[in-house]
């Protein structure tokens, strides 16, 4: 019970993650969560990330910071007193939001999840990019403040009187200007220096074509790659397959910090040649895997003219047959 609820909460947590950060730029993230209800972990906590690498965990119960990874060499990268002050601000923010959210609570709500995501970006020319603060209730975004080129933009639908909202916005704006962004950028630069090998690493995808779901689907799976940007395209007889025929395509994290993506396509009784093509930062050329399929027994047919497999291991996965 606990586990499944915890998983649900984590799913909500993930909903907030994909903010598009332009390729080449780097970002620092703070993902804070407040959970009202019985949970096996603290009501208030956050994780801090450099790009998609976890660097810190904050436990709101003990009010302690727990650096992750290469910690010994990083003590001087962040000012913990400032971070603890920011932590208090976020907690106060959650308490205020809780008051607003309580008005919309009903008896059946056993959990209430409030989240705040703060992200600042460092462009590849070394200049600060945009900063975003996004709030969510139950996994849905309620409002967002963005700060870019010294311009603030606020978007939201909060059920609070305008003077109250404006008062809070003014405080929030000046904190972004004076505290959040300078601190975030400084810390981001510090971590970039210490973790450059980790965030600049390039890991090649393993690409496979798999016949699945009883032989009625062909899936293209790319896994184990880093960074996360990848282009995965399915071709049928040399033509790109239309998007509406394709299912999947979500980027999913692997446990080891790499990513995977799968795209699937329903196949007919007619034999076609399917090609899965991947382009990724780690590859000089595109990586193609080509096989011939109909929806019966898969058989392998290598077409040398189309095949540019680079040290590739094609695995038949018919476990579902
Ligand atoms: C209470 O919440 C549930 C689930 O969010 C919703 O389906 C239901 O309509 C709500 N009831 C009232 C009285 O608002
Ligand atoms: C930890 O940081 C030090 C100093 O920056 C560096 O020399 C070392 O290689 C790092 N270790 C790991 C495992 O990243
Ligand atoms: C994906 O394709 C787009 C458009 O062709 C290209 O701009 C981008 O660099 C590609 N990304 C990767 C990781 O190959």
């Amino acid at each position: 019970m606990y586990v499944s609820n915890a998983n649900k909460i984590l799913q909500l947590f993930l909903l907030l993650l994909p903010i598009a950060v332009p390729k080449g730029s780097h970002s620092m993230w703070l993902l804070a969560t407040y959970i009202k209800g019985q949970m096996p972990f603290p009501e208030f906590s956050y994780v801090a990330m450099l790009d998609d690498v976890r660097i810190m965990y904050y436990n709101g119960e003990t009010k302690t910071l727990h650096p992750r990874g290469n910690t010994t060499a990083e003590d001087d990268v962040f000012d913990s007193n400032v971070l603890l002050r920011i932590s208090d601000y976020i907690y106060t923010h959650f308490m205020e939001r809780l008051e607003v959210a309580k008005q919309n609570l009903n008896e059946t709500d056993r959990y209430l999840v409030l989240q705040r995501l703060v992200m600042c970006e460092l462009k590849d020319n070394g200049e600060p990019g945009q900063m975003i603060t996004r709030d969510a209730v139950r996994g849905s975004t309620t409002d967002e403040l963005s700060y870019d080129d010294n311009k603030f933009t606020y978007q939201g639908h909060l059920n609070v009187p305008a003077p109250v909202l404006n008062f809070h916005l003014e405080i929030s704006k000046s904190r972004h200007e004076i505290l959040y962004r300078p601190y975030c950028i400084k810390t981001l630069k510090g971590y970039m220096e210490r973790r450059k090998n980790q965030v600049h690493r390039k890991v090649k995808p393993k690409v496979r074509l798999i016949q699945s779901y009883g032989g009625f689907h062909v899936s293209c799976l790319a896994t184990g790659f880093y960074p996360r940007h990848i282009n995965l395209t399915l071709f049928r007889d040399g033509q790109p397959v239309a998007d509406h025929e394709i299912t999947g395509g979500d980027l999913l994290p692997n446990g080891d910090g790499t990513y995977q993506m799968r795209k699937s396509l329903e196949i007919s009784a007619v034999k076609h040649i399917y090609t899965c093509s991947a382009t990724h930062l780690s590859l000089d050329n595109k990586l193609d895997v080509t096989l011939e399929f109909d929806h019966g027994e898969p058989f392998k047919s290598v077409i040398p003219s189309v095949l540019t497999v680079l040290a590739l291991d094609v695995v038949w996965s018919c476990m579902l047959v």
Side-chain angles (χ1 to χ4, degrees):
M1 190 60 185
Y2 257 173
V3 170
S4 87
N5 279 319
N7 277 340
K8 275 198 194 117
I9 303 287
L10 288 176
Q11 278 167 19
L12 297 177
F13 199 61
L14 286 172
L15 273 183
L16 280 174
L17 262 172
I19 280 187
V21 178
K23 226 165 94 181
S25 73
H26 292 278
S27 54
M28 183 100 162
W29 303 70
L30 197 147
L31 297 147
T33 311
Y34 180 86
I35 305 165
K36 190 89 207 140
Q38 280 213 312
M39 290 301 293
F41 35 80
E43 271 190 342
F44 172 46
S45 66
Y46 63 74
V47 292
M49 295 167 68
L50 170 65
D51 292 342
D52 43 14
V53 176
R54 226 170 242 240
I55 49 180
M56 185 98 57
Y57 170 75
Y58 174 77
N59 179 332
E61 222 150 81
T62 54
K63 296 196 172 199
T64 46
L65 294 162
H66 304 269
R68 292 282 155 93
N70 194 354
T71 56
T72 48
E74 292 176 351
D75 291 347
D76 55 336
V77 175
F78 66 97
D79 183 332
S80 58
N81 288 328
V82 176
L83 194 51
L84 290 171
R85 182 147 57 94
I86 292 174
S87 310
D88 285 343
Y89 287 156
I90 297 173
Y91 182 73
T92 307
H93 157 82
F94 280 140
M95 290 304 101
E96 287 165 357
R97 281 295 164 94
L98 194 59
E99 286 308 309
V100 177
K102 267 182 182 163
Q103 296 160 12
N104 307 317
L105 272 186
N106 73 30
E107 294 301 315
T108 58
D109 281 321
R110 289 180 54 217
Y111 297 97
L112 179 65
V113 182
L114 304 176
Q115 291 167 289
R116 165 162 274 198
L117 172 152
V118 186
M119 189 276 298
C120 72
E121 181 204 349
L122 191 65
K123 293 194 242 180
D124 53 5
N125 62 8
E127 293 292 314
Q130 65 172 348
M131 176 152 200
I132 289 175
T133 298
R134 184 187 279 179
D135 288 306
V137 179
R138 296 183 187 86
S140 307
T141 302
T142 53
D143 51 331
E144 184 175 302
L145 190 77
S146 75
Y147 179 35
D148 202 0
D149 296 330
N150 296 317
K151 197 169 135 275
F152 281 99
T153 320
Y154 177 77
Q155 279 184 303
H157 48 88
L158 272 191
N159 199 9
V160 290
V164 177
L165 180 62
N166 288 337
F167 173 73
H168 281 93
L169 274 180
E170 284 309 313
I171 295 178
S172 197
K173 282 176 186 176
S174 68
R175 277 192 191 149
H176 274 76
E177 232 157 14
I178 296 163
L179 177 63
Y180 297 156
R181 183 145 96 159
Y183 182 74
C184 189
I185 293 293
K186 183 167 179 270
T187 310
L188 170 49
K189 284 181 173 165
Y191 273 109
M192 277 303 294
E193 189 52 38
R194 304 297 162 89
R195 302 256 185 147
K196 54 175 175 257
N197 294 342
Q198 201 174 358
V199 298
H200 286 139
R201 76 191 196 279
K202 291 177 192 171
V203 190
K204 285 186 181 143
K206 292 185 190 70
V207 181
R208 295 163 183 183
L209 265 176
I210 300 165
Q211 197 171 12
S212 55
Y213 308 117
F216 289 93
H217 283 81
V218 57
S219 293
C220 170
L221 174 69
T223 187
F225 54 88
Y226 191 91
R228 64 166 70 196
H229 309 276
I230 195 165
N231 287 336
L232 203 59
T233 317
L234 262 168
F235 294 85
R236 183 174 42 219
D237 301 329
Q239 296 297 316
V241 177
D243 281 345
H244 70 264
E245 291 186 62
I246 288 176
T247 53
D250 300 318
L251 184 75
L252 300 173
N254 287 326
D256 60 359
T258 64
Y259 290 92
Q260 61 166 286
M261 184 184 280
R262 178 193 288 257
K263 288 189 173 180
S264 301
L265 172 69
E266 210 171 299
I267 58 177
S268 64
V270 183
K271 274 202 172 56
H272 288 287
I273 294 163
Y274 294 95
T275 302
C276 176
S277 181
T279 64
H280 187 259
L281 198 62
S282 63
L283 302 166
D284 295 333
N285 294 305
K286 69 187 172 70
L287 188 57
D288 285 353
V289 188
T290 296
L291 292 168
E292 190 170 8
F293 283 109
D294 60 24
H295 75 193
E297 282 288 294
F299 75 93
K300 199 168 160 185
S301 148
V302 178
I303 300 114
S305 61
V306 216
L307 200 72
T308 46
V309 179
L310 311 170
L312 194 75
D313 154 31
V314 175
V315 169
W316 293 107
S317 167
C318 294
M319 286 184 297
L320 293 170
V321 176

